[in-house]
Coordinates of all heavy atoms in Angstrom, one line a residue:
M40 N 116.0 98.0 128.7 CA 114.9 99.0 128.5 C 114.9 99.4 127.1 O 113.9 99.5 126.6 CB 115.1 100.1 129.5 CG 114.1 101.2 129.3 SD 112.6 100.6 129.9 CE 111.5 102.1 129.7
S41 N 116.1 99.8 126.5 CA 116.1 100.1 125.1 C 115.6 99.1 124.2 O 115.0 99.4 123.1 CB 117.6 100.7 124.8 OG 118.4 99.5 124.8
T42 N 115.9 97.9 124.4 CA 115.4 96.8 123.6 C 113.8 96.7 123.6 O 113.2 96.6 122.6 CB 115.9 95.5 124.0 OG1 117.3 95.4 124.1 CG2 115.6 94.3 123.0
L43 N 113.3 96.9 124.8 CA 111.8 96.9 124.9 C 111.2 98.1 124.1 O 110.2 98.1 123.4 CB 111.4 97.0 126.4 CG 109.9 97.0 126.7 CD1 109.2 95.7 126.2 CD2 109.6 97.1 128.1
L44 N 111.9 99.3 124.3 CA 111.4 100.5 123.5 C 111.6 100.2 122.0 O 110.6 100.7 121.2 CB 112.2 101.7 123.9 CG 111.9 103.1 123.3 CD1 110.5 103.4 123.8 CD2 112.8 104.1 123.8
L45 N 112.7 99.8 121.5 CA 112.8 99.4 120.1 C 111.7 98.6 119.6 O 111.1 98.7 118.5 CB 114.2 98.9 119.9 CG 114.5 98.6 118.4 CD1 114.5 99.9 117.6 CD2 115.9 97.9 118.2
A46 N 111.4 97.5 120.4 CA 110.3 96.6 119.9 C 109.0 97.2 119.9 O 108.3 96.8 119.0 CB 110.4 95.3 121.0
A47 N 108.8 98.0 120.8 CA 107.5 98.8 120.7 C 107.5 99.8 119.6 O 106.3 99.8 119.0 CB 107.4 99.6 122.1
M48 N 108.5 100.4 119.2 CA 108.5 101.3 118.0 C 108.3 100.5 116.8 O 107.6 101.0 115.9 CB 109.8 102.0 118.1 CG 109.8 103.1 119.1 SD 111.5 103.9 119.3 CE 112.2 104.0 117.7
V49 N 108.9 99.4 116.7 CA 108.8 98.5 115.5 C 107.3 98.1 115.4 O 106.7 98.0 114.3 CB 109.8 97.3 115.6 CG1 109.4 96.2 114.4 CG2 111.1 97.8 115.4
A50 N 106.8 97.6 116.5 CA 105.5 97.1 116.5 C 104.3 98.3 116.1 O 103.6 98.1 115.3 CB 104.9 96.5 117.9
C51 N 104.6 99.5 116.6 CA 103.8 100.6 116.3 C 103.9 101.0 114.8 O 102.9 101.2 114.2 CB 104.2 101.8 117.1 SG 103.5 101.8 118.8
F52 N 105.1 100.9 114.2 CA 105.4 101.1 112.9 C 104.6 100.2 111.9 O 103.9 100.4 111.0 CB 106.9 101.1 112.5 CG 107.1 101.4 111.0 CD1 107.0 102.5 110.5 CD2 107.5 100.2 110.2 CE1 107.2 102.6 109.0 CE2 107.7 100.4 108.9 CZ 107.5 101.5 108.3
V53 N 104.7 98.8 112.2 CA 104.0 97.7 111.6 C 102.5 97.8 111.6 O 101.9 97.8 110.6 CB 104.6 96.5 112.0 CG1 103.6 95.3 111.5 CG2 106.0 96.1 111.7
L54 N 102.0 98.3 112.7 CA 100.5 98.5 112.9 C 100.1 99.7 112.2 O 99.0 99.8 111.6 CB 100.1 98.6 114.4 CG 100.3 97.2 115.2 CD1 100.0 97.5 116.7 CD2 99.3 96.2 114.6
L55 N 100.8 100.7 112.2 CA 100.5 101.9 111.3 C 100.6 101.6 109.9 O 99.5 102.0 109.2 CB 101.5 103.0 111.7 CG 101.3 104.4 110.8 CD1 100.0 105.0 111.2 CD2 102.6 105.3 111.0
V56 N 101.5 100.9 109.3 CA 101.5 100.5 107.9 C 100.3 99.7 107.6 O 99.5 99.8 106.6 CB 102.8 99.9 107.6 CG1 102.7 99.3 106.2 CG2 103.9 100.8 107.7
A57 N 99.9 98.7 108.5 CA 98.9 97.7 108.3 C 97.5 98.6 108.3 O 96.7 98.3 107.5 CB 98.8 96.6 109.3
A58 N 97.4 99.5 109.3 CA 96.2 100.4 109.3 C 96.0 101.2 107.9 O 95.0 101.3 107.4 CB 96.3 101.3 110.4
V59 N 97.2 101.8 107.4 CA 97.0 102.5 106.3 C 96.7 101.7 105.0 O 95.7 102.1 104.3 CB 98.4 103.3 105.9 CG1 98.4 104.0 104.5 CG2 98.6 104.4 107.0
I60 N 97.2 100.6 104.9 CA 97.0 99.6 103.9 C 95.5 99.1 103.9 O 94.8 99.1 102.8 CB 98.0 98.4 103.7 CG1 99.3 98.9 103.4 CG2 97.4 97.4 102.9 CD1 100.3 97.9 103.6
A61 N 95.0 98.9 105.1 CA 93.6 98.4 105.2 C 92.6 99.5 104.9 O 91.6 99.3 104.3 CB 93.4 97.9 106.7
H62 N 92.9 100.7 105.3 CA 92.0 101.9 105.0 C 92.1 102.2 103.5 O 91.0 102.3 103.0 CB 92.6 103.1 105.8 CG 91.8 104.3 105.5 ND1 92.1 105.2 104.5 CD2 90.7 104.8 106.1 CE1 91.1 106.2 104.5 NE2 90.2 105.9 105.4
R63 N 93.1 102.1 102.9 CA 93.2 102.3 101.4 C 92.4 101.2 100.7 O 91.8 101.5 99.7 CB 94.6 102.4 100.8 CG 95.4 103.6 101.4 CD 96.8 103.6 100.8 NE 96.9 103.6 99.4 CZ 97.2 104.4 98.6 NH1 97.6 105.6 99.0 NH2 97.2 104.3 97.2
A64 N 92.6 99.9 101.1 CA 91.8 98.9 100.5 C 90.3 99.1 100.7 O 89.5 98.7 99.8 CB 92.4 97.5 101.1
S65 N 90.0 99.5 101.8 CA 88.5 99.6 102.1 C 87.9 100.8 101.5 O 86.6 100.8 101.2 CB 88.3 99.7 103.6 OG 88.7 100.8 104.1
T66 N 88.6 101.8 101.2 CA 88.0 103.0 100.6 C 88.3 103.1 99.1 O 88.0 104.1 98.4 CB 88.6 104.2 101.2 OG1 90.0 104.3 101.1 CG2 88.1 104.2 102.7
A67 N 89.0 102.0 98.5 CA 89.3 102.1 97.0 C 88.0 101.9 96.2 O 87.0 101.3 96.6 CB 90.3 101.0 96.7
A68 N 88.0 102.7 95.2 CA 86.9 102.6 94.2 C 87.0 101.1 93.5 O 88.0 100.7 93.2 CB 86.9 103.6 93.1
P69 N 85.7 100.6 93.3 CA 85.8 99.3 92.6 C 86.2 99.6 91.3 O 86.0 100.4 90.5 CB 84.3 98.8 92.6 CG 83.5 100.1 92.8 CD 84.4 101.0 93.6
E70 N 87.1 98.5 90.8 CA 87.7 98.4 89.3 C 86.5 98.1 88.3 O 85.7 97.1 88.6 CB 88.8 97.5 89.3 CG 90.0 97.8 90.1 CD 91.0 96.8 90.0 OE1 91.0 96.2 88.9 OE2 91.9 96.9 90.7
T71 N 86.4 98.9 87.2 CA 85.5 98.5 86.3 C 86.1 97.7 85.3 O 87.3 97.7 85.0 CB 85.1 100.0 85.6 OG1 86.2 100.6 85.0 CG2 84.4 100.8 86.6
E72 N 85.2 97.0 84.5 CA 85.7 96.1 83.5 C 86.3 96.8 82.3 O 85.8 98.0 81.9 CB 84.6 95.2 83.0 CG 85.0 94.1 82.0 CD 83.9 93.2 81.8 OE1 83.0 93.0 82.6 OE2 83.8 92.7 80.6
H73 N 87.3 96.4 81.8 CA 88.0 97.1 80.7 C 87.2 96.9 79.3 O 86.9 95.8 78.9 CB 89.3 96.7 80.5 CG 90.2 97.3 79.3 ND1 90.2 96.6 78.2 CD2 90.7 98.4 79.1 CE1 90.8 97.4 77.3 NE2 91.2 98.6 77.9
T74 N 86.9 98.0 78.6 CA 86.2 97.7 77.3 C 87.2 98.7 76.4 O 87.4 99.9 76.7 CB 84.8 98.3 77.3 OG1 84.8 99.7 77.9 CG2 83.8 97.5 78.2
A75 N 87.5 98.1 75.4 CA 88.4 98.8 74.4 C 87.8 99.9 73.7 O 88.4 101.0 73.3 CB 89.0 97.8 73.4
E76 N 86.5 100.1 73.7 CA 85.7 101.0 73.0 C 85.7 102.4 73.8 O 85.8 103.4 73.3 CB 84.2 100.7 72.8 CG 84.0 99.6 71.7 CD 84.1 98.2 72.5 OE1 84.0 98.2 73.6 OE2 84.5 97.4 71.7
D77 N 85.8 102.2 75.2 CA 85.8 103.4 76.1 C 87.2 103.7 76.6 O 87.5 104.8 77.3 CB 85.0 103.1 77.2 CG 83.5 102.9 76.8 OD1 83.0 103.4 75.8 OD2 82.7 102.3 77.6
C78 N 88.2 103.0 76.3 CA 89.5 103.2 77.0 C 90.3 104.1 76.0 O 90.6 103.8 74.8 CB 90.3 101.8 77.0 SG 91.9 101.9 77.7
R79 N 90.8 105.2 76.6 CA 91.6 106.2 76.0 C 92.9 105.7 75.6 O 93.5 106.0 74.5 CB 91.6 107.5 76.7 CG 92.4 107.5 78.0 CD 92.5 108.9 78.7 NE 93.1 108.9 79.8 CZ 94.4 109.2 80.0 NH1 95.0 109.7 79.0 NH2 95.0 109.1 81.2
H80 N 93.4 104.7 76.4 CA 94.8 104.2 76.0 C 94.7 103.3 74.8 O 95.5 103.2 73.9 CB 95.3 103.4 77.1 CG 95.6 104.3 78.3 ND1 96.6 105.4 78.3 CD2 95.0 104.3 79.6 CE1 96.5 106.0 79.5 NE2 95.6 105.3 80.2
C81 N 93.5 102.6 74.6 CA 93.3 101.7 73.4 C 92.9 102.5 72.3 O 93.0 101.9 71.2 CB 92.2 100.6 73.8 SG 92.7 99.5 75.0
A82 N 92.4 103.6 72.4 CA 91.9 104.4 71.3 C 93.1 104.8 70.1 O 92.9 104.7 69.2 CB 91.3 105.7 71.8
A83 N 94.2 105.1 70.9 CA 95.3 105.3 70.1 C 95.7 104.2 69.2 O 96.3 104.4 68.0 CB 96.6 105.8 71.0
L84 N 95.6 103.0 69.7 CA 96.0 101.8 68.8 C 95.0 101.5 67.7 O 95.3 100.9 66.7 CB 96.1 100.6 69.8 CG 97.3 100.5 70.6 CD1 97.0 99.4 71.5 CD2 98.5 100.4 69.8
R85 N 93.8 102.1 67.8 CA 92.9 101.9 66.7 C 93.1 102.8 65.4 O 92.6 102.6 64.3 CB 91.5 102.3 67.1 CG 91.0 101.2 68.1 CD 89.4 101.2 68.3 NE 89.0 102.5 69.0 CZ 89.0 102.7 70.2 NH1 89.1 101.8 71.1 NH2 88.6 103.8 70.8
H86 N 94.0 103.8 65.6 CA 94.5 104.5 64.4 C 95.1 103.7 63.4 O 96.0 102.9 63.7 CB 95.4 105.7 64.8 CG 95.5 106.8 63.8 ND1 96.5 106.7 62.9 CD2 94.8 108.0 63.8 CE1 96.4 107.9 62.2 NE2 95.4 108.6 62.6
P87 N 94.9 104.0 62.1 CA 95.5 103.1 61.0 C 97.0 103.2 61.1 O 97.8 102.2 60.7 CB 94.9 103.7 59.6 CG 93.7 104.4 60.1 CD 93.9 104.9 61.5
S88 N 97.6 104.2 61.6 CA 99.1 104.2 61.5 C 99.7 103.3 62.5 O 100.8 103.0 62.7 CB 99.6 105.6 61.9 OG 99.3 106.1 63.3
Q89 N 98.9 102.8 63.4 CA 99.5 101.8 64.5 C 99.2 100.4 64.2 O 99.3 99.4 64.9 CB 98.6 102.0 65.8 CG 98.9 103.5 66.3 CD 100.3 103.7 66.7 OE1 100.9 102.8 67.1 NE2 100.8 105.0 66.5
L90 N 99.0 100.0 62.7 CA 99.0 98.7 62.4 C 100.1 97.8 62.7 O 99.9 96.6 63.4 CB 98.8 98.7 60.8 CG 98.5 97.2 60.2 CD1 97.4 96.5 60.7 CD2 98.6 97.2 58.7
P91 N 101.5 98.2 62.6 CA 102.5 97.4 63.1 C 102.5 97.1 64.6 O 102.6 96.0 65.0 CB 103.7 98.2 62.8 CG 103.2 99.1 61.7 CD 101.9 99.4 61.9
A92 N 102.0 98.1 65.4 CA 101.9 97.8 66.8 C 100.7 96.8 67.2 O 100.9 96.0 67.9 CB 101.6 99.3 67.5
R93 N 99.6 97.0 66.5 CA 98.5 96.1 66.7 C 98.8 94.6 66.3 O 98.5 93.7 66.9 CB 97.3 96.5 65.9 CG 96.5 97.7 66.5 CD 95.2 97.9 65.9 NE 95.1 97.8 64.5 CZ 95.1 98.8 63.7 NH1 95.3 100.1 64.1 NH2 95.1 98.6 62.3
T94 N 99.6 94.6 65.2 CA 100.1 93.2 64.7 C 101.0 92.5 65.7 O 100.9 91.4 66.0 CB 100.9 93.4 63.4 OG1 99.8 94.1 62.4 CG2 101.1 92.0 62.8
A95 N 101.9 93.3 66.2 CA 102.8 92.8 67.3 C 102.1 92.5 68.6 O 102.4 91.4 69.1 CB 103.9 93.8 67.6
L96 N 101.2 93.3 69.0 CA 100.4 93.0 70.2 C 99.5 91.8 70.0 O 99.1 91.1 71.0 CB 99.6 94.1 70.6 CG 100.4 95.3 71.2 CD1 99.5 96.5 71.4 CD2 101.0 94.9 72.6
S97 N 98.9 91.5 68.7 CA 98.2 90.4 68.5 C 98.8 89.0 68.8 O 98.1 88.1 68.9 CB 97.4 90.5 67.2 OG 98.5 90.2 66.2
T98 N 100.1 89.0 68.7 CA 100.9 87.8 68.9 C 100.9 87.3 70.4 O 101.2 86.3 70.7 CB 102.2 87.8 68.2 OG1 103.0 88.8 69.0 CG2 102.1 88.1 66.8
I99 N 100.7 88.4 71.3 CA 100.8 88.0 72.7 C 99.5 87.5 73.1 O 98.3 88.0 72.9 CB 101.0 89.4 73.5 CG1 102.3 90.1 73.0 CG2 101.1 89.2 75.0 CD1 102.5 91.5 73.6
P100 N 99.6 86.3 73.8 CA 98.4 85.7 74.3 C 97.6 86.6 75.4 O 98.2 87.3 76.2 CB 98.8 84.4 75.1 CG 100.3 84.5 75.0 CD 100.7 85.6 74.3
C101 N 96.3 86.6 75.3 CA 95.4 87.5 76.1 C 95.4 86.9 77.6 O 95.5 85.7 77.7 CB 94.1 87.5 75.6 SG 93.9 88.4 74.0
S102 N 95.2 87.8 78.6 CA 95.2 87.3 79.9 C 93.7 86.9 80.1 O 92.8 87.6 79.7 CB 95.6 88.4 80.8 OG 95.3 88.2 82.1
R103 N 93.6 85.8 80.8 CA 92.3 85.4 81.0 C 91.9 85.4 82.6 O 91.1 84.7 83.2 CB 92.0 83.8 80.6 CG 92.3 83.6 79.2 CD 91.1 84.2 78.4 NE 91.3 84.0 76.9 CZ 90.8 84.8 76.0 NH1 90.0 85.8 76.3 NH2 91.0 84.5 74.8
E104 N 92.6 86.5 83.2 CA 92.4 86.7 84.6 C 91.1 87.1 84.9 O 90.5 88.0 84.2 CB 93.4 87.8 85.0 CG 93.6 87.9 86.4 CD 94.6 88.8 86.8 OE1 95.7 88.6 86.3 OE2 94.4 89.8 87.5
G105 N 90.4 86.5 85.9 CA 89.0 86.9 86.3 C 88.0 86.0 85.5 O 86.7 86.2 85.7
Q106 N 88.4 85.2 84.5 CA 87.4 84.3 83.8 C 87.6 82.8 84.1 O 88.4 82.4 84.6 CB 87.6 84.5 82.3 CG 87.2 85.9 81.9 CD 87.4 85.9 80.4 OE1 87.7 84.9 79.6 NE2 86.9 87.0 79.7

């Protein structure tokens, strides 16, 4: 009996986690395309004092994900 109860508890836990993940995925806001002009994280890199950082980042190949 205890093995059956344990199996039922595990199944309920897995289904609960799956339901939460499905709900979060279905209610998530659509991701917007990144534009450097509007991104506040990219704005700091446009400051002239960040030239060494921009130079170092320019050596990293760009991700072509989604293209």
Side-chain angles (χ1 to χ4, degrees):
M40 180 69 179
S41 65
T42 306
L43 181 61
L44 183 62
L45 180 63
M48 288 174 29
V49 168
C51 286
F52 176 74
V53 169
L54 289 173
L55 176 67
V56 170
V59 169
I60 291 172
H62 181 267
R63 288 179 60 109
S65 67
T66 59
E70 294 183 16
T71 59
E72 186 176 327
H73 178 261
T74 56
E76 295 83 26
D77 298 334
C78 180
R79 66 181 176 99
H80 299 293
C81 292
L84 286 173
R85 288 194 297 270
H86 192 273
S88 67
Q89 297 298 326
L90 180 62
R93 285 195 313 268
T94 305
L96 287 172
S97 68
T98 63
I99 300 172
C101 295
S102 171
R103 299 292 179 202
E104 193 173 308
Q106 289 185 359

